Amino acid sequence: MTSSSIRSVDEAVPITEVRVGRSDDIEMRQRRYILTMTIRTTCFGLMFFVPGLWKFVAIAGAAVLPAIAVVLANNRDNRSQPVVRAQEPAPTLAISPGQVIKGEVDETDR
């Protein structure tokens, strides 16, 4: 852990910046996968009981759902780590005023 990623103890973390715990994230992905594969299994079963066009819809669902299940299962929480905010505002840098030389503009042709 670098010193720039350490938060002070008193600083609160906004809840929208907090990641889901690793075990909770894995559990949610497993549930999505199981649900999608259950729907796929249902599509396989429906192929034997539905007539006509619905049979092709069930076949298409059974063929496409494994890819969708894998994509959903591999989708993890990609939120970045919370940004560390500085305790004091950084001083603004400015160019100091220079010496003013008074004079006139001579616009005569040379």
Side-chain angles (χ1 to χ4, degrees):
M1 201 179 262
T2 63
S3 62
S4 63
S5 65
I6 298 174
R7 287 186 174 266
S8 68
V9 177
D10 298 332
E11 187 175 350
V13 178
I15 195 68
T16 56
E17 293 180 4
V18 177
R19 288 185 180 181
V20 176
R22 183 175 172 90
S23 60
D24 291 337
D25 184 42
I26 291 172
E27 183 180 337
M28 285 188 320
R29 291 191 284 151
Q30 287 174 340
R31 268 195 247 135
R32 282 191 299 240
Y33 183 80
I34 290 171
L35 176 66
T36 309
M37 295 310 284
T38 302
I39 294 170
R40 178 184 187 226
T41 305
T42 305
C43 287
F44 270 122
L46 286 175
M47 288 189 311
F48 299 109
F49 298 107
V50 295
L53 184 62
W54 289 108
K55 186 174 293 223
F56 293 111
V57 171
I59 291 170
V64 173
L65 282 174
I68 294 172
V70 169
V71 169
L72 290 176
N74 289 330
N75 184 22
R76 49 189 188 110
D77 188 9
N78 290 326
R79 282 182 272 190
S80 61
Q81 291 290 337
V83 178
V84 177
R85 294 175 185 87
Q87 297 295 333
E88 297 176 9
T92 54
L93 301 176
I95 299 174
S96 61
Q99 180 182 7
V100 177
I101 302 173
K102 295 187 180 189
E104 297 178 9
V105 176
D106 185 19
E107 294 187 16
T108 58
D109 288 71
R110 293 187 181 182

